[in-house]
Amino acid sequence: MSKINTWISAARLRTLPLSISGIIVGTTIAVSEGVFNLVVFSLALATTLGLQVLSNFANDYGDGVKGTDNEDRVGPQRALQSGLITQKEMLQGIIITTIVTLLFAILLIYAAFGKENLGYALFFFFLGIAAIAAAIKYTVGKSAYGYRGLGDVFVFLFFGVVAVYGSYFLYAHHWSWLVLLPAFSIGLLSVGVLNLNNMRDRVSDEKAGKITLVVKLGAKKAKTYHYSLILAAIFCLILFTVLSLESINDFLYIPALVPLILHLKRVVENENAVLLDPELKVLALSTFATSILFGLGQVW
């Protein structure tokens, strides 16, 4: 049981609600247009959760092997760092998770497009391969892009644009540029979580040679960047609602924005990186709550 608990801890369950926020937003916009498929929804959730767990395992492995996870790290101890999971075991976990996630992705593509839309199916298949590769290469290997300040781009694209716009397209089978606004919003909030994580670990990351965007910017500019991410996300979501307004229910998510504003106030006042750790949970759950209330407003 202790080994199972260790793997559950390595999967970092607290990151999972954030990862499915984009699926919820994209799906409910499609539902508001009268299109929905329960099988597609279930497989989209499974694929996204698989990608998140894969990313967490790969991050644990990459940072563990490189020595980035050490006694200087502020956040909770990782599986490899603690020695509870060996390098070989984590590699096996990454391989198994990759296979399972790819299988879910193939089933999702078939459920969404069947044999009739081969072009779309191929596009999404290669998109799935790219997402899996990006999840692994964030910290794994000599050319890990998370060590060159490019992690924010990955998170924005795959947990924002692809999650929201991609899931919407799986149902609708047509383009709607307006949907990019909530896609940008979820992407920016997801980047905010990564940025907050990197703000917390800035000192230890710099010592270990992990050059995140926060390390490049420095503490003061990283805060400014963080405010910009959250405020831009709020702006994009409200702009989408204004442009697509059908009823007052479309603004149902507004109360969920209050914790985001309070979160910004605490980040502004923060002088101790350790105290940023609880804010990760606040920002992730606030994003999830926003997506749920946004979705309810779309379908109600």
Side-chain angles (χ1 to χ4, degrees), residues 43-93:
L43 289 171
L45 284 179
T47 302
T48 301
L49 290 173
L51 283 170
Q52 182 63 63
V53 172
L54 175 61
S55 180
N56 292 341
F57 285 168
N59 195 5
D60 196 309
Y61 177 83
D63 283 345
V65 169
K66 289 180 172 66
T68 307
D69 289 338
N70 51 46
E71 64 277 1
D72 294 325
R73 188 173 181 274
V74 177
Q77 197 173 53
R78 300 277 183 79
L80 227 66
Q81 177 189 7
S82 66
L84 295 174
I85 293 177
T86 66
Q87 290 186 26
K88 183 179 179 181
E89 288 172 332
M90 186 58 79
L91 269 176
Q92 291 172 341

